[in-house]
Amino acid sequence: MSVKLEIQNILVYSELNDRYFYTTFDNKLNVIYGKNTAGKSTLIQLILYAFGINDNKIKLSEILTEEIFVRLDCVITKNNEKLKFTFIRQDETLIVKDPNSKVIRFNGIGSDQSAEHIKLKKYFNSLFDFNLLLESNSGISEAPMETLFLPYYVSQDVGWVYLRKSFSNLTFYKNFKEDFLDYYLGIENVIDREEKRKIENELRSLQQQMKFFSDVEQENQELEVSQIINDSLAGKANELIISLSNNKSDLITLEKDYVNESNKLTFYNQRLSVVSKVKRNHKNQFPGEDSCPTCSQILPENIEEIYEFFQEENDTISLQSELKEKIKNSQSKVNSINKKIEKSQKEINKEYSTFNKYSENKITLENWIENKANIQLYDNLIKQIGTLKLEIDKLKLKLKEYKTEKDIYFAREKKNHIFKSAYFKNNINLGIPNLEEDRFNKLYEISSFPFQGVQLHLAILSYHFAFNELLTKTKGIHRLPFILDSIFKEDIEGGNKEKILNFINSNFPKDTQTILSIADDKNIDSHIEQYKNEIFKDNAHMICIGDGTEEKALLAENDNSQSKLISETYEIMETI
């Protein structure tokens, strides 16, 4: 549901000069009137100023020298709940008192680029569910605060001459008109377009990769031949490879056995050599006859020594005999394994020769091996193409969530048609000729009107009422008071004035407030009572500035009628 703002009252107070202005607003039509330069436009600009708008500070320079504060008491309807807010602005500080009586301060909002003003903008964006994004040379960013009020505000001067120019700092955005209208008519937001653009760029990149890989697959003859070779010989090649692999595995086992047995044989031979040397030396060490090899003394002679001598000799002979037998057996095993190795090698060589010579359709297994790298490349290529296809399909599916250029065109045309119908109806009521050229009646094509003077003024009025009617039909768009400043130009005569007022009285939006200002001098041909009694009747809440006779009369001497509200405002401002 749309968020709606209703202004209940405004208080302007200058402590420096002890002067003030206070008025309430009705929830329907509010007519601010007074003499030219009385302060009607100043009051309207102060309303915007109280919300943090800086665009009109130059026009407010005179009253700002009185060191004023501006207080707005408002009701914001959100999610079917009415919430009371108070907005107070003094110089570069804006204070918000929310429905929970929490006081929020934004200090230093005098520049739109200041950190505090950016925080304030985010606060209002959240409060009003406003998320318009605009594109500039520096990229896409949140729209300035003025765009929150722009559809509902026609300024005193340029607002009645140019469309969407009631605020001055919006012209440098790219495609501002289209993005502004799309957002407020619920067609497309910039963020949608930006996300869609990213997806489209990613999709194009993937499609280019897909084309490259597909071209390689289709145009590279070597890959095609490799695939033919693979298809022709894959079965036989795998069969021979398995056989070769098994034989090679057996050969490796035999070679391991050969090495192990050879090591044993070497060990036995070395040990036999040692035992033989021991045996020879032992013969020269008989007790009582031979000398000790170390000290040259005759070895002792007794029964034990003689017995030990013969025992050692017998052991040596026995060990020598045992080693010879082991050497014999080990050598036999080595020879046997060696024969098996030679046989296995011959079989492997024979199989490999068969492998190389085998062919089908003049394609050999040797070709198959040489092309195996191409086969791997081909397989990777196919996998890559498959992966890309899946990613492309996902992105295409995601793109369907966004409007196409054709969808946007037809959505805009539908809005053009609705606008044109309302605009033509308004033109008939205001006595403006309807022009059939699209650039003068299609919402997305209108930039200016081929009228001057009163007719231009009436055409602008007709446009804004038709556009406001469209806004009431857009789901989720915030609703603010419809503010029309200075609805009478100096060259508008009596008959046209009544026509304008009758039109406004019959067509002002019924779901939100309308605030308009009228120049009327009670001393010179005043018609305000006539307008009130004959046109507005019970529809309008009349707000007089300067008694209808004074200039620069917005602030009056403090009569203490609002002393309680003034004191309460200072208490809020002084809350830490």
Side-chain angles (χ1 to χ4, degrees), residues 454-469:
V454 176
Q455 278 196 330
L456 175 60
H457 191 84
L458 295 176
I460 296 285
L461 182 67
S462 174
Y463 172 93
H464 281 288
F465 270 80
F467 185 56
N468 198 289
E469 185 178 331

Side-chain angles (χ1 to χ4, degrees), residues 167-312:
F167 296 108
S168 62
N169 61 345
L170 305 174
T171 55
F172 66 91
Y173 289 103
K174 296 179 181 179
N175 305 311
F176 175 74
K177 178 176 72 173
E178 289 76 12
D179 291 342
F180 175 81
L181 293 176
D182 282 348
Y183 176 80
Y184 275 102
L185 299 180
I187 293 176
E188 184 189 45
N189 198 349
V190 176
I191 190 169
D192 296 330
R193 190 172 69 242
E194 181 65 11
E195 289 298 323
K196 181 183 174 187
R197 186 184 300 166
K198 288 179 181 177
I199 294 172
E200 287 174 338
N201 289 339
E202 187 178 355
L203 180 60
R204 276 194 293 271
S205 175
L206 292 178
Q207 286 173 333
Q208 288 172 356
Q209 293 180 50
M210 181 79 162
K211 184 178 184 303
F212 171 77
F213 287 126
S214 297
D215 289 346
V216 171
E217 179 201 6
Q218 294 172 10
E219 297 176 9
N220 194 311
Q221 292 184 348
E222 286 187 12
L223 290 179
E224 187 175 354
V225 169
S226 297
Q227 187 60 35
I228 292 171
I229 292 172
N230 188 60
D231 293 341
S232 299
L233 299 178
K236 186 63 177 178
N238 288 332
E239 179 186 330
L240 291 174
I241 286 173
I242 290 171
S243 178
L244 278 170
S245 178
N246 291 336
N247 288 336
K248 189 68 176 176
S249 178
D250 292 342
L251 177 60
I252 291 171
T253 301
L254 288 171
E255 288 173 340
K256 286 181 180 179
D257 292 343
Y258 180 84
V259 171
N260 290 335
E261 199 60 43
S262 295
N263 288 338
K264 285 183 183 180
L265 181 60
T266 301
F267 171 74
Y268 294 150
N269 282 323
Q270 288 176 345
R271 192 173 181 195
L272 179 61
S273 175
V274 172
V275 170
S276 296
K277 289 179 182 179
V278 169
K279 181 181 177 183
R280 287 197 309 273
N281 291 331
H282 190 266
K283 287 180 179 181
N284 298 321
Q285 295 176 7
F286 192 83
E289 294 181 5
D290 297 317
S291 301
C292 174
T294 304
C295 62
S296 300
Q297 293 181 0
I298 299 298
L299 293 169
E301 181 182 13
N302 54 51
I303 295 175
E304 288 83 1
E305 293 294 336
I306 293 172
Y307 177 80
E308 185 177 349
F309 173 82
F310 285 112
Q311 184 63 45
E312 288 175 353

